[in-house]
Amino acid sequence: MKKAVSSLLCTMLLFGAVPALCVMPVSGAATDYQAELWNPVEIKLTSTVQYANAYTDAELDAVFTHEDGTVISLPGFWDGGQNWCVRFSPTKTGVWTYKTTCSNAEDAGLITSGTVKAVPSTGTSATAKHGFIKISENKRYYVHDDGTPFLWLGDTFWQAPENIPYDENNYPYSENDSALKEIVDNRVAKGYTVFQTYFNCNGGNQGVTSYWISKGRKIRPEVFRDRIDKMFQYVHESGMVIAMGFGLHSGTPTSFKEEYHLRFIRYCVARYACYNIVWITGQEITNIEQSGTAGKTNMDVWIGTAELTDRLDGYRHPQGAHMYPMNATDERAQRLHNAAWHDSWFLQGGHGQDGKWDYLQGKSFYRSYYTLSKVKPIIETEANYEEINSGVYTGYNATRTSAWKAMMSGCAGYTYGGSGTWLFCYSTAGRTQHLEWSYEPWYMSLNKAGSYEVGYMKHFFEVLPDWTKLVPRFDNAQYADFAASSDKYIASTDDGHTVVCCFLNQDTSTGTVLKLAAGQTYTALWFNPLTGKFLPADVQVSGSTAVLPPKPNQEDWALVLTCDALSKTYTLESPFADLSSRGSAVTGGAVTPKSVTAICGLTYNSKQQLTDNTSYLYDNDASTVWRPFADRTSHTILYDLGTAQNLTHIVIEPLKGTTLPRYRVEGSGDGVSWTIIVNTRYREPLKNGDAISEPLDGAYRYVKVQFLPPDDVSEDAAKASGFEYAVTMNRYYYRTAITGITVYSSGEAEIVPTESVVTPDGAETPTADNADAVPGNTAAPDAREKKSNNTLLIVLIAAVTLVIAACAAVLILKPKKKK
């Protein structure tokens, strides 16, 4: 009977009928456990002392020792009532012994010992397969424990523990029950590898229950257990690294006693050091004004917290500090550079104005860190969040530009941030907090164009033979005649086998590359940062010199020149063709769309109720006008035509007397891979309000209209147009107002691929376990349907299996009749 029950439980665990626990006691003593490699196990302890405030009155510590002598020391934490816990993720298979101690020697329940048996991981995430990240041998980048290179692509969710709900989701078109899961799934699908956040120590915002009973003095463990722990566990299971800090600039040191701050850090390290984590100390810690602690600056306090984190973390996870924008010669940067605990640079490039080069960090900024005698990985963790207002307006193009500048200047990764998500506006209804910076709800910002484009950039570097060998050449004219240019970048391997050029100039000029490996045969490919696809390049190589052709158009382009094999599958696209010369006379018939998605069209009415005016775009009623929620930002409108169509034209009708912002029109057969058909970025915006007809070409099911942010205009011009809107910097721009968008075609079509997928010999190809090999578009409706259908299929299979298992168990357990 016991054997039958055991078999039934195993079957139920396998198919999810019983929740999988990270705590896996081994038969025998209750203090013995089993855990998978890189996955946390919880050592549960029960205090024998009744503390008035267990959070402040006792400290629990543990030491784990592997059979080969490896030692990992970690703090434990109070988990409510008499319950205490130590979390431990084994880093090696085999048997670990542990011993716990307590600051109260009379508390026998917290002084114990036991064993943890570590077994191989069965997970499929990058962490499960390759282990925690650490600093590479040459100190330039990060690698997993098994040596696999790790390319940092983060997203900023400052104050996530205070802001993001785990069991709620107000995204109108989502089937997910969790905003946090929606975010993580979206970012993983786009190739992101880091979830960057910090506690602000205030406890909770936007209706989220605070984790404080008394700020700094008495905590609510159940809030951590029921919400924040689940958040970080989900991030961990996704394979993303957690980049964690413990507060913000001067706010935390001046409003939170230092002793409270240190105790809170101990509590957080105890709960989360078991994950694949990087410590970023706090947001903008390099403030040298006096804090609330007598005789100490804010930076003094922050360095004390970093030193404590370093002492507590037995894993020795990478550690640095998020900074204000500053050159490495700044005395504050030098103080960090010389600190024993500081092993990584987490820079802030700051926030500038879209298209204004003097507002964006350039080569000298990153070179000041790259050339320091003590080498450390450099990560750009905050630069030009997409479409926020911070000093000046940061537009859409600045985000992509900043990412390429950082990576071409020796950074080991980049962290994206976007309006609505960086500080997570759950809802703007009835809110004013930070709306001057992020005036969109989070779901309107989740799929901004830049969020895809930084994923494309990561894919580009991973396609290279070995991106970790690239050396930025900054303005060294020995490597290229354009090296001194502020908007042209070059990096290459020391053997000259691979050269990468990035051209951010707004004309088509390039230049000549020098110091190639003579006598080698090179492959040359353009890379389109707007689509994530490649294009063959006609490069003339002679000896160690290569004359580059003009850029394919005025947009940003990267070029790879290599005589070594590329590492991953990549897609070739056809050259962009300007169709405007075909004329604007509409041909074909209007297509009634199956659906239209415009998250930015969701607005709040006078009663603070969410309404959707997307249908105004295609209702053939000139009296109805579509207006986006936040006029200053870009807007993506996705048409699903139901079937593939031979496209002929698209007609966009702005409201009379208004100005139509610049835009792109893109087509897709599957809602994942996109082709740019129309691009008006370099045209003058249309100011008369007349309808515009754009010729289209190709067979596509999906049509995307990407409106770019409107230009700044004078106050007089804005008022004259009837659409005046001032942001915090007192700037004005035209508001977007559209009466209709209509797609025309000559009839249904069969999609004939116009692109080719190339898999170099020996290259990595996309698989279920390698989903980031080619970044996907998580916004596509058909992709959501497939995901939902796949999930349903898995649930049905599991249910059928459980019924069969249950029936079998009944038969096995049924008493036999006596003969």
Side-chain angles (χ1 to χ4, degrees), residues 411-460:
C411 286
Y414 180 84
T415 298
Y416 170 83
S419 171
T421 53
W422 72 279
L423 197 55
F424 198 77
C425 295
Y426 190 68
S427 169
T428 59
R431 276 188 79 230
T432 57
Q433 180 188 16
H434 296 307
L435 288 188
E436 71 274 20
W437 292 335
S438 290
Y439 38 80
E440 295 174 284
W442 67 278
Y443 49 80
M444 292 187 192
S445 298
L446 194 61
N447 289 307
K448 286 186 176 294
S451 73
Y452 294 102
E453 291 165 2
V454 294
Y456 299 154
M457 180 189 70
K458 173 174 174 281
H459 174 58
F460 168 81

Side-chain angles (χ1 to χ4, degrees), residues 612-816:
D612 187 355
N613 62 18
T614 304
S615 62
Y616 294 166
L617 289 168
Y618 57 95
D619 62 1
N620 297 315
D621 184 348
S623 67
T624 59
V625 179
W626 177 85
R627 291 189 177 94
F629 178 86
D631 298 279
R632 188 65 194 264
T633 69
S634 63
H635 308 295
T636 302
I637 301 171
L638 182 66
Y639 279 68
D640 178 358
L641 304 179
T643 60
Q645 300 283 330
N646 283 310
L647 304 183
T648 60
H649 284 83
I650 187 169
V651 175
I652 303 174
E653 302 174 81
L655 185 66
K656 287 290 185 182
T658 67
T659 296
L660 186 68
R662 296 178 180 88
Y663 55 89
R664 292 199 305 264
V665 180
E666 303 176 23
S668 174
D670 57 7
V672 174
S673 178
W674 294 89
T675 299
I676 297 175
I677 311 173
V678 176
N679 188 352
T680 71
R681 182 183 173 196
Y682 294 95
R683 296 185 198 170
E684 284 298 315
L686 299 173
K687 299 181 179 180
N688 55 12
D690 292 338
I692 183 169
S693 171
E694 293 280 2
L696 304 181
D697 193 15
Y700 302 104
R701 173 176 171 175
Y702 300 97
V703 175
K704 181 196 297 180
V705 182
Q706 179 74 58
F707 286 108
L708 303 180
D711 297 333
D712 284 342
V713 297
S714 68
E715 180 178 354
D716 290 342
K719 290 180 177 179
S721 73
F723 289 91
E724 161 191 358
Y725 195 87
V727 295
T728 54
M729 277 62 66
N730 213 22
R731 294 176 182 269
Y732 292 81
Y733 51 88
Y734 295 117
R735 300 186 70 178
T736 301
I738 297 173
T739 62
I741 298 177
T742 308
V743 178
Y744 291 82
S745 87
S746 60
E748 291 190 11
E750 179 180 349
I751 296 178
V752 177
T754 59
E755 304 163 336
S756 58
V757 177
V758 180
T759 303
D761 292 341
E764 184 179 0
T765 56
T767 65
D769 293 340
N770 178 33
D772 68 331
V774 179
N777 185 335
T778 57
D782 64 332
R784 284 189 182 279
E785 291 168 9
K786 289 175 184 175
K787 180 179 179 181
S788 178
N789 292 339
N790 289 341
T791 302
L792 179 60
L793 180 61
I794 292 170
V795 172
L796 288 173
I797 292 172
V800 171
T801 305
L802 283 170
V803 171
I804 294 171
C807 292
V810 170
L811 291 174
I812 294 169
L813 299 175
K814 184 178 180 181
K816 294 181 178 180

